[in-house]
PDB file of all heavy atoms in Angstrom:
ATOM      1  N   THR A  57     192.743-156.664  10.529  1.00 98.00           N
ATOM      2  CA  THR A  57     193.987-156.078   9.953  1.00 98.00           C
ATOM      3  C   THR A  57     193.766-154.645   9.462  1.00 98.00           C
ATOM      4  O   THR A  57     194.577-153.757   9.726  1.00 98.00           O
ATOM      5  CB  THR A  57     194.493-156.972   8.789  1.00 98.00           C
ATOM      6  OG1 THR A  57     194.818-158.269   9.325  1.00 98.00           O
ATOM      7  CG2 THR A  57     195.710-156.319   8.087  1.00 98.00           C
ATOM      8  N   LYS A  65     198.043-145.730  10.879  1.00 98.00           N
ATOM      9  CA  LYS A  65     198.193-144.582   9.982  1.00 98.00           C
ATOM     10  C   LYS A  65     197.849-143.244  10.647  1.00 98.00           C
ATOM     11  O   LYS A  65     198.547-142.214  10.461  1.00 98.00           O
ATOM     12  CB  LYS A  65     197.264-144.750   8.764  1.00 98.00           C
ATOM     13  CG  LYS A  65     197.817-145.686   7.703  1.00 98.00           C
ATOM     14  CD  LYS A  65     196.894-145.838   6.497  1.00 98.00           C
ATOM     15  CE  LYS A  65     197.412-146.740   5.431  1.00 98.00           C
ATOM     16  NZ  LYS A  65     196.538-146.965   4.313  1.00 98.00           N
ATOM     17  N   MET A 101     191.294-159.557  18.741  1.00 98.00           N
ATOM     18  CA  MET A 101     191.574-160.224  17.476  1.00 98.00           C
ATOM     19  C   MET A 101     191.831-161.700  17.820  1.00 98.00           C
ATOM     20  O   MET A 101     193.032-162.155  17.847  1.00 98.00           O
ATOM     21  CB  MET A 101     192.790-159.556  16.793  1.00 98.00           C
ATOM     22  CG  MET A 101     192.558-158.075  16.518  1.00 98.00           C
ATOM     23  SD  MET A 101     194.000-157.269  15.745  1.00 98.00           S
ATOM     24  CE  MET A 101     193.928-158.016  14.091  1.00 98.00           C
ATOM     25  N   LYS A 175     201.098-161.743   8.209  1.00 98.00           N
ATOM     26  CA  LYS A 175     200.547-160.540   7.640  1.00 98.00           C
ATOM     27  C   LYS A 175     200.895-159.431   8.632  1.00 98.00           C
ATOM     28  O   LYS A 175     200.536-159.511   9.783  1.00 98.00           O
ATOM     29  CB  LYS A 175     199.046-160.642   7.354  1.00 98.00           C
ATOM     30  CG  LYS A 175     198.474-159.437   6.632  1.00 98.00           C
ATOM     31  CD  LYS A 175     196.945-159.561   6.329  1.00 98.00           C
ATOM     32  CE  LYS A 175     196.711-160.618   5.304  1.00 98.00           C
ATOM     33  NZ  LYS A 175     197.238-160.222   3.938  1.00 98.00           N
ATOM     34  N   LEU A 176     201.549-158.416   8.123  1.00 98.00           N
ATOM     35  CA  LEU A 176     202.092-157.329   9.028  1.00 98.00           C
ATOM     36  C   LEU A 176     201.529-155.993   8.701  1.00 98.00           C
ATOM     37  O   LEU A 176     201.258-155.692   7.504  1.00 98.00           O
ATOM     38  CB  LEU A 176     203.615-157.269   8.888  1.00 98.00           C
ATOM     39  CG  LEU A 176     204.392-158.551   9.135  1.00 98.00           C
ATOM     40  CD1 LEU A 176     205.883-158.285   8.825  1.00 98.00           C
ATOM     41  CD2 LEU A 176     204.196-159.076  10.527  1.00 98.00           C
ATOM     42  N   ALA A 212     201.958-157.926  13.864  1.00 98.00           N
ATOM     43  CA  ALA A 212     201.497-159.148  13.173  1.00 98.00           C
ATOM     44  C   ALA A 212     199.963-159.290  13.400  1.00 98.00           C
ATOM     45  O   ALA A 212     199.529-159.305  14.548  1.00 98.00           O
ATOM     46  CB  ALA A 212     202.137-160.376  13.652  1.00 98.00           C
ATOM     47  N   VAL A 228     206.826-189.372  30.855  1.00 97.00           N
ATOM     48  CA  VAL A 228     207.464-188.324  31.715  1.00 97.00           C
ATOM     49  C   VAL A 228     208.136-189.066  32.893  1.00 97.00           C
ATOM     50  O   VAL A 228     207.571-189.969  33.523  1.00 97.00           O
ATOM     51  CB  VAL A 228     206.397-187.309  32.270  1.00 97.00           C
ATOM     52  CG1 VAL A 228     207.141-186.344  33.225  1.00 97.00           C
ATOM     53  CG2 VAL A 228     205.776-186.566  31.120  1.00 97.00           C
ATOM     54  N   ILE A 264     210.705-176.237  44.803  1.00 94.00           N
ATOM     55  CA  ILE A 264     209.942-177.478  45.079  1.00 94.00           C
ATOM     56  C   ILE A 264     208.922-177.263  46.206  1.00 94.00           C
ATOM     57  O   ILE A 264     207.796-177.541  46.152  1.00 94.00           O
ATOM     58  CB  ILE A 264     210.927-178.612  45.453  1.00 94.00           C
ATOM     59  CG1 ILE A 264     211.716-179.047  44.251  1.00 94.00           C
ATOM     60  CG2 ILE A 264     210.132-179.849  46.092  1.00 94.00           C
ATOM     61  CD1 ILE A 264     212.875-180.022  44.601  1.00 94.00           C
ATOM     62  N   SER A 282     217.050-181.089  44.488  1.00 96.00           N
ATOM     63  CA  SER A 282     216.507-180.685  43.193  1.00 96.00           C
ATOM     64  C   SER A 282     215.737-181.844  42.589  1.00 96.00           C
ATOM     65  O   SER A 282     215.909-183.036  42.994  1.00 96.00           O
ATOM     66  CB  SER A 282     217.612-180.308  42.214  1.00 96.00           C
ATOM     67  OG  SER A 282     218.427-181.445  41.917  1.00 96.00           O
ATOM     68  N   CYS A 432     219.799-152.188  28.989  1.00 95.00           N
ATOM     69  CA  CYS A 432     221.090-151.665  29.491  1.00 95.00           C
ATOM     70  C   CYS A 432     222.195-152.697  29.370  1.00 95.00           C
ATOM     71  O   CYS A 432     223.363-152.358  29.387  1.00 95.00           O
ATOM     72  CB  CYS A 432     220.992-151.218  30.915  1.00 95.00           C
ATOM     73  SG  CYS A 432     219.901-149.780  31.137  1.00 95.00           S
TER      74      CYS A 432
END
Side-chain angles (χ1 to χ4, degrees):
T57 296
K65 281 182 181 177
M101 301 179 70
K175 186 177 290 293
L176 306 175
V228 176
I264 289 168
S282 67
C432 293

